[in-house]
Amino acid sequence: MHTDVNTLFAELWQDYIKMTPSAAKIHELLGKGEEIINDHIALRTFNIAKVNLDVLAKHFLALGYVDSGDYKFEQKKLVAKHFEHPDPTQPKVFISELLVEEFSDSLQQTIKGFIEQMDASVTTAENFIYSGRHWDLDIATYQALLTESEYAAWVAALGYRANHFTVSINHLADFEHIEDVNQALKDAGFVLNSSGGEVKGSAEVLLEQSSTMADRMTVKFSDGELEIPSCFYEFAKRYPKADGELYTGFVAASADKIFESTNS
């Protein structure tokens, strides 16, 4: 496991921009040469003991992160937690897991088959959080998963890596409002996730979020190649709580729509 939080996020970022070339361009567009503060990353997994949420979380707990919130997504059959570092300038981490037992027998068998192909030692390796796919997958199996769960298909195809990074709008020098960020992105030709509206959340719930639709990339399967959605970039504006401190949690209703940024 990593001993340094900055190194871990640097490696995650390098893997992420390979999957999401648009993110590097957006970084330039919004940052204009200034440093961009990453509000949070998100990771996806299955609730199978070898690779569940807790297994991924260990990589962050070892670096001082603490469990800071629980979330449930009934419709998508997911649960999630978010983690925070004592240093508030470090990104928050949002980890979700698919409740595999709530799906069809065929999906359950498929996912269990993937995880059986993994050596348990892989999950404690320093690079596990950005190590990609660890199993064989053919196109028909990917497409069958996609009919039941976009999330299951995404993890099956792309494995372990950041599903998205998030620009902290609060720390941008040239933008104050999420609507202005969204307009700049659209003017530059980026497509936004409009599920539930382009802006998810509100000042009332202390968090506004928007995101691009995922980039598309050609992925190798065991029997050919297919162009599929990869990762996306998110934008978050946080508002102060009654005590004046910025809200650091997440809003389940908004996150539910953000998940749809990787829909085909």
Side-chain angles (χ1 to χ4, degrees):
M1 292 199 190
H2 275 277
T3 51
D4 177 66
V5 66
N6 295 318
T7 309
L8 173 57
F9 279 100
E11 296 286 358
L12 278 160
W13 174 256
Q14 288 308 316
D15 175 73
Y16 167 73
I17 55 174
K18 270 190 245 144
M19 313 292 292
T20 326
S22 69
K25 294 177 194 151
I26 291 170
H27 208 266
E28 228 165 89
L29 174 76
L30 298 181
K32 300 179 181 169
E34 301 289 313
E35 189 194 355
I36 282 189
I37 299 294
N38 177 23
D39 180 85
H40 70 273
I41 64 158
L43 300 163
R44 296 178 171 189
T45 191
F46 303 112
N47 70 334
I48 293 173
K50 198 192 284 183
V51 295
N52 67 13
L53 193 161
D54 293 340
V55 171
L56 274 63
K58 279 180 187 161
H59 288 261
F60 298 94
L61 297 174
L63 295 169
Y65 275 80
V66 292
D67 184 343
S68 304
D70 293 88
Y71 310 89
K72 193 159 176 51
F73 303 93
E74 301 279 354
Q75 262 185 311
K76 292 189 174 63
K77 302 174 182 175
L78 300 168
V79 294
K81 286 178 184 281
H82 98 266
F83 300 84
E84 294 180 28
H85 194 274
D87 172 357
T89 65
Q90 293 294 355
K92 290 167 277 294
V93 177
F94 186 90
I95 308 176
S96 56
E97 63 181 5
L98 192 72
L99 304 174
V100 175
E101 69 283 357
E102 294 190 13
F103 289 87
S104 70
D105 287 347
S106 68
L107 182 141
Q108 293 182 47
Q109 293 315 312
T110 299
I111 302 302
K112 284 174 184 161
F114 294 155
I115 307 309
E116 279 163 13
Q117 291 176 48
M118 291 176 67
D119 191 295
S121 66
V122 165
T123 66
T124 55
E126 192 173 82
N127 71 340
F128 175 58
I129 297 296
Y130 48 92
S131 61
R133 188 169 87 212
H134 294 268
W135 44 76
D136 293 325
L137 175 66
D138 60 50
I139 291 171
T141 304
Y142 168 77
Q143 289 171 329
L145 289 171
L146 200 53
T147 62
E148 265 199 81
S149 165
E150 179 281 323
Y151 182 108
W154 191 93
V155 181
L158 298 175
Y160 293 95
R161 50 175 32 107
N163 167 262
H164 62 269
F165 272 66
T166 309
V167 173
S168 169
I169 296 173
N170 299 73
H171 294 89
L172 289 177
D174 292 336
F175 296 90
E176 190 185 345
H177 303 292
I178 195 167
E179 292 81 3
D180 298 335
V181 170
N182 289 350
Q183 195 56 54
L185 293 164
K186 288 189 289 187
D187 290 346
F190 296 101
V191 178
L192 297 184
N193 169 350
S194 58
S195 176
E198 283 179 0
V199 177
K200 289 92 169 102
S202 63
E204 286 68 41
V205 295
L206 307 181
L207 176 62
E208 292 173 330
Q209 293 165 278
S210 65
S211 62
T212 60
M213 289 303 287
D215 281 16
R216 296 182 69 80
M217 68 179 288
T218 301
V219 171
K220 284 188 170 63
F221 292 84
S222 57
D223 57 347
E225 294 185 340
L226 197 62
E227 191 186 76
I228 66 169
S230 57
C231 310
F232 60 92
Y233 214 173
E234 191 188 315
F235 314 93
K237 169 83 185 261
R238 294 182 177 276
Y239 289 87
K241 300 175 296 187
D243 63 5
E245 295 288 316
L246 282 186
Y247 176 68
T248 57
F250 292 85
V251 177
S254 302
D256 189 69
K257 299 299 182 197
I258 294 281
F259 277 117
E260 296 172 19
S261 303
T262 48
N263 285 5
S264 294

